[in-house]
Each structure stands twice: as structure tokens, then as C-alpha cells.
Amino acid sequence: MVGGTGDFGLALARRLVAAGEEVVIGSRDAGRARAKAAEAGASAGAANEDAVRGADLVVLATKAEAALATCGALAAAIGETPVLSVASELRFTKEGVLPGADPRSIAERTQELLRAPVTAGLHSLAASSLGRGPADGDALVCGDDAAAKRLVLELAAKMVKGRALDAGPLASARALEGLTAVIVNLNRRYKGHAGVRVTGLP
């Protein structure tokens, strides 16, 4: 997990460990990664390049502003290993929280940097929600590679009390990342921990 030392990455790592997954936490600082891995109960902590080698899935959990630079630097180490992008670019204004200015999602821009298939998901989940156990609601996942998406859907299903749902191609990440802004606005206004639940599906 790249960026597993941040709030969301660490909460996600703990939830994955609790679900029986083997997790290696990566960071630019290997010592910090090892410390956070011990805190989360993860298998190991390592420098990012070492953390992604040999993984079945690379979770990109860095802050949005660091996501593209981090992926560019790790492209060779990641190779063709599937990548899950969970970042959302947000703009904080006096009027409220807005999606990023670039019309493309971070996930789409990440795909341009990598040979590996990129899937986007978990944007409706918050660190505080994961810290209490599986989050209320559903997890939405999108991507263009069927095998990579199936792998992420299996993982996402362990993160929520609801369902992990296939939300379409990677271009749909634009909507998923924008949804994060909506959820942050709701949480600020109503002092809550909003999630998403999709109704009307079989």
C-alpha cells in the first residue's frame, strides 16, 4: 500500500488486516513505514519501491497532490501489477468543497503513467468510518480491465457492510472522485459520517 502512513491509508490497512489480507505498507521513509506497519498489524513496512514489488494489488493511498508524481516515480517497480486509486482531488473554497479543476480524474491521469491496469474505488469511504469497522453503505468501483476490477471488487466487499458495485469504465472515476466533494460537504453541514447506498438493484 503506497501512502499507507496517512490517515486514510492507515485506516484502510487496518481494515484489510482485520479482513485477513496480507498488507505491506509503503512510504518514502522506510522507517516510518515499518512503524506504521507495526501499528496497523500489517505484514511489513518498506520504502515504496520495495513495497510494491511482488504485490498482487498496489493500493495508491497517497494524498491527491502527490498521487501522480508518486506513480510516475514507481512506474517501473509497479510494472503490470494492478493499481487501485482511491484519491480525490478537492478544492476548498468559502462556498464549499469542490471537485478538482482538471476534467479528468486522478485515476485516468494515473493510467496514462502506468502499464498496469488502474481501477478507481472506495471514494465514499472515510478514515473515521473504517476505523469503527466495515463502513456503512456500498463501495463503488470502476475500471476498464475486467480482471483488475474483479480483484478490487473482492477487496472492496470486505470494507463495507453493504455491497461492492461495478460502476462502469474508468472514465466513471470522474463522478466517483467528485462524489467525495459531495460527501465532505454533507459531513461538514450535518456533522456526520455520510456514506453511499445504492437502491433498486437486484
Side-chain angles (χ1 to χ4, degrees), residues 172-197:
S172 295
R174 301 171 196 178
L176 294 190
E177 293 181 18
L179 181 61
T180 303
V182 174
I183 289 174
V184 172
N185 284 324
L186 289 170
N187 287 338
R188 285 182 161 193
R189 179 173 295 276
Y190 296 102
K191 312 298 182 189
H193 301 283
V196 171
R197 188 176 294 278

Side-chain angles (χ1 to χ4, degrees), residues 7 10 13 15 29-30 37 51 59 69 71 79 87 90 93 108 128 137 178 198-199 202:
D7 290 345
L10 190 59
R15 186 52 33 211
D29 182 333
V59 179
C71 266
L90 302 176
T93 73
E108 289 173 292
S128 57
V198 178
T199 62

Side-chain angles (χ1 to χ4, degrees), residues 99-199:
D102 195 308
R104 297 167 302 158
S105 65
I106 288 178
E108 289 173 292
R109 285 177 277 162
T110 298
Q111 183 64 87
E112 294 171 355
L113 299 173
L114 300 175
R115 300 196 316 271
V118 175
T119 303
L122 309 186
H123 298 87
S124 61
L125 308 184
S128 57
S129 298
L130 289 172
R132 299 191 298 271
D136 286 332
D138 300 323
L140 306 179
V141 172
C142 61
D144 295 331
D145 185 280
K149 191 190 292 187
R150 188 162 49 248
L151 180 64
V152 171
L153 284 166
E154 290 173 2
L155 179 147
K158 299 177 182 180
M159 301 296 100
V160 293
K161 295 178 181 177
R163 296 171 294 176
L165 298 171
D166 184 340
L170 190 63
S172 295
R174 301 171 196 178
L176 294 190
E177 293 181 18
L179 181 61
T180 303
V182 174
I183 289 174
V184 172
N185 284 324
L186 289 170
N187 287 338
R188 285 182 161 193
R189 179 173 295 276
Y190 296 102
K191 312 298 182 189
H193 301 283
V196 171
R197 188 176 294 278
V198 178
T199 62

Side-chain angles (χ1 to χ4, degrees), residues 24-58:
V24 176
I25 289 180
S27 172
R28 289 175 297 177
D29 182 333
R32 178 171 167 77
R34 287 191 290 271
K36 291 296 183 179
E39 187 179 326
S43 302
N48 283 329
E49 285 195 1
D50 295 325
V52 303
R53 289 194 178 97
D56 295 323
L57 175 69
V58 174

